[in-house]
Amino acid sequence: MFDFIFCKEPDCHEFVVTGQKTCLFHAPDRDELSQQMLDRLLNKGPIGSLSFSGMEYNGVDLTRSRLYACNLANSIFVDTDFSNSYLQLCFFEYSTFIRCKFSHIVSKYSVFSGSKFIDCDFSESDLLHSNFVGVDARHCSFDDSDLYYSDFVNAVLDDVTFRDCNLKKTDFYSSTRTQVIFKFSNFEEAIFSREY
Amino acid sequence: MKIFFHFSVIGFSNTYLIGNDHGDAILIDPGHMDIQLLDLIESNHYYIRHILITHRHESHTKGIGTLLKIYDADIYAYSAFGFSDFSVHPIPLNQPLLLSGIPVECRLVPGHSNDSIVFIIDKAMFTGDVLLSGRIGKTDSKLSHSLLLRSIKEQLLPLDDRMLIFPGHGAPSTLKIEKMFNEDIIEDMKHIRT
């Protein structure tokens, strides 16, 4: 797990970048640190327990990445390709993803809550026990994916497709769905209401 | 400290393995002991010294018997009541435990069950069936539902927003996410305001 150490700057609520005393925003050598972290990511080997939230990624090829227990929250990803990656216990909450590819990924116990997804592709992926609570997703595809035990509570889904998906125990309670397609999916095994 | 998870296909619950740097480990809610869990423990070279139980429901405890045949572990739960086959240490609520060199704070959060305990280790919170991603635990009456909401409000919501939540079922979360998007908590806050 990444270190639960907070940025030393007063009133800053971010976790420190791994090996540093501050978060990325308060790092004195922010550009150099960003490049260092990006180089580690692009290395393609398994990466574990790394924390570097608040990064900006543009056109980065992160295909076949293997990330374990990492913190990449509050980041901006544009035209970034995560295809064929393995994400386990990774935290991406409150991030923005624009035109990103997540096809053929395996995501287990990862957190994307509060993030914004625009034109993103999650097709043919295993998104198991993944947290999409409160996401705002527009023009996205989850087609042919396994979403077992994933949560979309309070999500805003606009023009999002879930064709031929496994939706067993997938929770859509209180989500706002416009032009959402569940064709060929077992949506009757998904959760849309609460019983007490 | 390292945190690993294991999904139990019996009871559909999460088991968490927390290891220190010396090979000793804590196991939270062993809902089922199977070869995958054994492999997770052994491949990381851990020995289970302590087993923590968030509450006494079968999907969180059924693996204890098999585990004790392999590891000489101490079991901790809110009360020893109902654990007739094992020796259980009742949890002291007002003093943190030090297990495998790891400080563990225990908070009683009743509602889902009367013996529901939330374990806090550093900035990680193991909530069992009390607080899950996007929802609170199931209850069997409106009274229990109200009790659970009140317990969460008093015991968990004042904690640091950055606290990571590892629930007994489903995906992980953070306290900030639950405060922002958990419909049960939001609804309750609306009632208070009105």
Side-chain angles (χ1 to χ4, degrees), chain B residues 24-176:
Chain B
D24 295 331
I26 300 168
L27 202 62
I28 299 179
D29 282 355
H32 177 59
M33 183 61 186
D34 54 22
I35 200 75
Q36 287 82 9
L37 181 54
L38 183 64
D39 186 50
L40 181 71
I41 298 164
E42 291 299 316
S43 64
N44 287 288
H45 310 291
Y46 286 127
Y47 188 92
I48 303 300
R49 301 279 178 201
H50 310 282
I51 296 170
L52 302 183
I53 304 298
T54 58
H55 63 297
R56 206 185 52 249
H57 285 171
E58 207 176 52
S59 60
H60 300 258
T61 59
K62 211 175 176 185
I64 295 175
T66 314
L67 268 162
L68 291 182
K69 289 176 183 168
I70 306 167
Y71 304 103
D72 183 19
D74 289 331
I75 305 167
Y76 291 83
Y78 174 62
S79 137
F81 178 75
F83 291 98
S84 53
D85 298 340
F86 323 107
S87 167
V88 169
H89 299 275
I91 288 171
L93 291 175
N94 296 323
Q95 59 189 77
L97 298 167
L98 189 66
L99 306 176
S100 301
I102 300 169
V104 181
E105 188 189 333
C106 312
R107 293 194 177 202
L108 180 65
V109 190
H112 172 74
S113 66
N114 288 335
D115 64 339
S116 287
I117 293 283
V118 170
F119 298 107
I120 299 168
I121 299 175
D122 204 338
K123 291 289 176 205
M125 186 155 72
F126 299 87
T127 55
D129 287 359
V130 165
L131 180 59
L132 305 97
S133 151
R135 62 197 164 102
I136 65 167
K138 280 186 180 164
T139 51
D140 51 15
S141 68
K142 281 197 168 179
L143 186 66
S144 301
H145 184 77
S146 299
L147 174 64
L148 179 56
L149 273 168
R150 200 182 70 184
S151 310
I152 290 171
K153 206 158 54 191
E154 288 174 1
Q155 293 294 328
L156 306 184
L157 296 192
L159 295 169
D160 193 324
D161 276 1
R162 297 164 290 190
M163 192 74 82
L164 307 184
I165 294 173
F166 295 97
H169 302 272
S173 186
T174 68
L175 197 57
K176 183 180 177 183

Side-chain angles (χ1 to χ4, degrees), chain A residues 3 5 18 29 41 66 108 118 124-125 147 167 196:
Chain A
D3 292 328
I5 303 168
T18 302
D29 49 351
L41 265 184
R66 280 172 289 158
K108 287 182 182 174
I118 300 168
E124 298 188 64
S125 293
L147 288 146
L167 299 177
Y196 294 108

